C-alpha cells in the first residue's frame, strides 16, 4: 500500500480513530474518521462533506460509511483519536 498523508514520511499508514480531510481523485473532497485499515483500503465514517460518485446511489454523505483506496487518495490529518472535528 502507498498512502499519501500530508506531513508524514513515505510508507506512513493511516490510523484507526483519526479524522482526515480526504482529497480523492474520483469522489472529491470530504472529511472522515477512519474505522478500519486493510492494506490499500481505508474504511471510515464521513463527518463532513459529500463523497461524489458516478452513480447517484453510490454518493455518501455525513454519517455514512465509505471505503477508499490509497492510489486515489491524499490525506491530511485534522483530528486526533477520539476528537470530533
Amino acid at each position: 500500500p502507498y498512502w499519501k498523508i500530508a506531513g508524514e514520511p513515505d510508507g506512513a499508514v493511516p490510523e484507526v480513530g483519526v479524522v482526515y480531510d480526504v482529497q480523492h481523485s474520483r469522489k472529491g473532497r470530504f472529511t472522515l474518521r477512519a474505522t478500519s485499515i486493510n492494506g490499500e483500503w481505508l474504511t471510515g465514517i464521513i463527518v463532513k462533506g459529500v463523497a461524489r460518485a458516478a452513480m447517484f446511489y453510490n454518493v455518501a454523505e455525513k454519517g455514512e460509511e465509505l471505503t477508499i483506496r490509497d492510489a486515489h487518495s491524499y490525506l491530511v490529518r485534522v483530528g486526533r483519536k477520539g476528537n470530533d472535528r
Side-chain angles (χ1 to χ4, degrees):
Y2 181 71
W3 290 97
K4 296 174 283 291
I5 306 172
E8 305 241 353
D10 288 348
V13 177
E15 295 179 59
V16 171
V18 174
V19 177
Y20 295 96
D21 276 340
V22 179
Q23 296 173 26
H24 193 276
S25 62
R26 296 179 181 172
K27 298 178 186 297
R29 292 175 174 239
F30 49 91
T31 304
L32 63 72
R33 178 182 309 282
T35 56
S36 71
I37 313 291
N38 185 2
E40 65 187 308
W41 302 99
L42 179 151
T43 300
I45 303 295
I46 296 178
V47 296
K48 183 179 176 185
V50 175
R52 297 187 317 258
M55 303 302 290
F56 72 92
Y57 51 80
N58 285 332
V59 171
E61 299 178 343
K62 184 178 178 180
E64 294 185 299
E65 185 176 76
L66 180 70
T67 300
I68 59 175
R69 189 175 185 184
D70 62 351
H72 302 288
S73 309
Y74 179 76
L75 307 177
V76 178
R77 185 180 186 138
V78 295
R80 300 175 196 267
K81 292 182 182 180
N83 292 343
D84 288 332
R85 173 154 188 227

